[in-house]
Amino acid sequence: MIEPRIPKYQWGQRVKALIDLFNDGSFPGKPVDAMLVGVGDTGEIVQVGTQTEANLPIYLVEFGERLVVGCLEEEISPL
């Protein structure tokens, strides 16, 4: 069994996108492969969860109004 990785970031923390984030099919209302967030866009972590199969932290980040995107630690950086 893979040990869960401790999250580096916390709820309420401001972050920026390190890469362009595209819809992988899990974001409703947008076409698959549509860009959701661009490099440098800023947001706030609104929830921290765990991807159960790999035991990786997943961060729900609100980028602008009504745009909440699931991010991995490698995709965001603290402001």
Side-chain angles (χ1 to χ4, degrees), residues 23-79:
N23 185 12
D24 61 2
S26 62
F27 194 88
K30 298 277 186 179
V32 173
D33 294 330
M35 188 166 80
L36 301 173
V37 176
V39 171
D41 287 353
T42 61
E44 181 178 326
I45 296 172
V46 295
Q47 188 171 352
V48 180
T50 302
Q51 198 283 342
T52 54
E53 290 177 12
N55 280 325
L56 294 175
I58 299 290
Y59 302 91
L60 291 182
V61 180
E62 185 172 26
F63 292 97
E65 190 175 322
R66 297 184 186 223
L67 180 62
V68 178
V69 179
C71 300
L72 300 171
E73 286 180 350
E74 297 78 24
E75 298 172 331
I76 56 177
S77 176
L79 287 178

